[in-house]
Amino acid sequence: MTADTATNLDEAIIRSAENTAELIKKAREAVHTVIFGQDAVVDGALITLLSGGHGLLVGVPGLAKTKLVETLGIVLGLDAKRVQFTPDLMPSDILGTEVLDENYGGTRTFRFIRGPVFAQLLMADEINRASPRTQSALLQSMQEYHITVAGDRHDLPKPFHVLATQNPLEQEGTYPLPEAQLDRFLMQIDVPYPQREEEKRILLFTTGAEEIPARQAMNAEDLLSAQRLVRHLPVGESVVEAILTLVRSARPGETAELAGKIAWGPGPRASQALMLAVRARALLQGRFSPSIDDVAALAEPVLKHRMALSFGARADGETVENLIGRLARKLG
């Protein structure tokens, strides 16, 4: 390859990155025409999708978690479906089921009817209300992007994302998500109460005669292109080392300071998630290479659902958030 060819190739990559960053910016603005404020929540959801992962939205009722997922489906031009998780929900209600057909000649054959998991964006509403058996129906699809029914493999559409919601307050009649499933969520995005001015806008714009509709800013192919670009963004050695230091220090017995405080910690999947997420955050902000600040900013949403405190640490009033914060501050 000649020097001129390499230069032209680099310029083409830069132009592609700039175009993608502009599309993402428009998508973010389109989401905010419907979702007022909650910048960190919207950015977290977009980072999750740009990384090609799944997100867990945790917040009390009425904070527009479901509305956000619905809006993202429209803005990104994805085929979106919703499943309301309830205690009587069965795995076949999500994956699909086989039915017995009989033709005119009397021959009987099984036919697979696809469930709502065959979508580009699946909203798993109140995911912890379903039984562990039903929750586990999503494990294969979230990790391997296909499902197996009656021994037959069925590939899911591309892209495929699960955005699940969870209410942290009302725990009666719920089933805590197993650690194996939590680990398959790239990020846990906590949804706080809105600020006063944001809530004022909500009052003024959502109680009138007309509702502001979401508008499409991207399509599925645009999202796939953005996801490919995220994986090609360069990551400096200092950022790689920061990710390794952060994730490894959140494991039991890795640091003397936290000895006895961590019951179990994040595995390599957390490092992979953080590597993708910092690239996606950089692209979301119009940068083409992540920094250590990105690692510190995403430490909590990537790690908090992948670790637990020991009994002694909880008795001393320690919290996972405070512990991750201390680890992240050391990266600077």
Side-chain angles (χ1 to χ4, degrees):
M1 181 183 295
T2 65
D4 290 341
T5 303
T7 301
N8 292 336
L9 183 60
D10 290 341
E11 290 176 353
I13 293 173
I14 292 173
R15 283 197 301 272
S16 174
E18 289 174 344
N19 293 337
T20 301
E22 186 62 27
L23 274 177
I24 295 170
K25 179 182 177 182
K26 291 179 179 178
R28 185 176 185 273
E29 292 171 351
V31 172
H32 278 295
T33 62
V34 178
I35 305 297
F36 303 123
Q38 300 285 24
D39 291 353
V41 176
V42 172
D43 287 355
L46 286 172
I47 289 169
T48 298
L49 298 179
L50 290 172
S51 302
H54 315 288
L56 180 63
L57 298 164
V58 179
V60 301
L63 295 182
K65 301 185 297 296
T66 302
K67 186 68 174 178
L68 172 60
V69 180
E70 177 187 316
T71 301
L72 285 169
I74 296 172
V75 169
L76 299 178
L78 302 178
D79 173 29
K81 294 179 182 177
R82 173 182 177 179
V83 176
Q84 186 69 46
F85 279 60
T86 57
D88 61 346
L89 193 73
M90 298 297 291
S92 59
D93 296 326
I94 301 173
L95 305 180
T97 187
E98 286 193 322
V99 296
L100 186 63
D101 281 346
E102 183 174 350
N103 60 24
Y104 292 110
T107 303
R108 295 179 179 179
T109 57
F110 282 102
R111 176 170 57 91
F112 179 64
I113 299 178
R114 294 184 170 193
V117 75
F118 288 89
Q120 294 171 324
L121 180 62
L122 178 66
M123 182 196 307
D125 213 3
E126 297 189 273
I127 188 172
N128 59 330
R129 290 202 170 278
S131 67
R133 178 185 178 188
T134 302
Q135 290 176 10
S136 66
L138 286 175
L139 286 174
Q140 184 181 23
S141 62
M142 292 174 68
Q143 181 62 30
E144 302 174 25
Y145 300 96
H146 67 261
I147 63 170
T148 303
V149 177
D152 293 329
R153 169 174 168 157
H154 301 273
D155 291 325
L156 298 174
K158 294 182 179 180
F160 172 74
H161 301 281
V162 175
L163 289 181
T165 68
Q166 183 173 312
N167 175 6
L169 299 180
E170 190 178 359
Q171 297 302 314
E172 183 177 352
T174 64
Y175 303 86
L177 296 181
E179 287 75 13
Q181 182 152 5
L182 284 172
D183 195 33
R184 282 164 170 77
F185 287 104
L186 185 132
M187 288 173 56
Q188 176 179 321
I189 305 166
D190 291 337
V191 185
Y193 290 107
Q195 299 295 323
R196 182 182 181 88
E197 285 304 312
E198 296 169 357
E199 192 162 357
K200 182 178 180 180
R201 290 184 65 198
I202 293 172
L203 290 176
L204 294 175
F205 286 94
T206 62
T207 60
E210 296 184 3
E211 183 178 354
I212 301 174
R215 67 179 189 278
Q216 183 176 341
M218 294 175 64
N219 57 39
E221 188 54 46
D222 292 331
L223 180 58
L224 287 171
S225 297
Q227 291 172 353
R228 288 191 291 268
L229 176 62
V230 164
R231 288 180 173 268
H232 283 88
L233 291 182
V235 182
E237 184 66 22
S238 62
V239 175
V240 175
E241 289 297 324
I243 291 172
L244 285 171
T245 298
L246 176 67
V247 174
R248 293 183 65 83
S249 62
R251 295 171 183 166
E254 286 290 331
T255 60
E257 178 190 354
L258 302 180
K261 292 189 175 183
I262 303 174
W264 53 272
R269 191 180 281 134
S271 303
Q272 295 170 321
L274 198 50
M275 179 74 97
L276 289 170
V278 295
R279 288 165 161 164
R281 185 175 190 264
L283 186 61
L284 185 65
Q285 296 182 355
R287 295 178 284 115
F288 302 136
S289 182
S291 67
I292 294 179
D293 289 340
D294 294 315
V295 179
L298 294 173
E300 183 178 322
V302 171
L303 296 182
K304 69 180 300 182
H305 59 295
R306 291 184 163 100
M307 56 189 299
L309 300 177
S310 65
F311 176 80
R314 295 197 304 272
D316 292 339
E318 184 66 85
T319 65
V320 171
E321 292 83 357
N322 288 341
L323 189 149
I324 295 174
R326 293 205 302 272
L327 295 176
R329 285 191 291 272
K330 291 183 177 180
L331 299 176

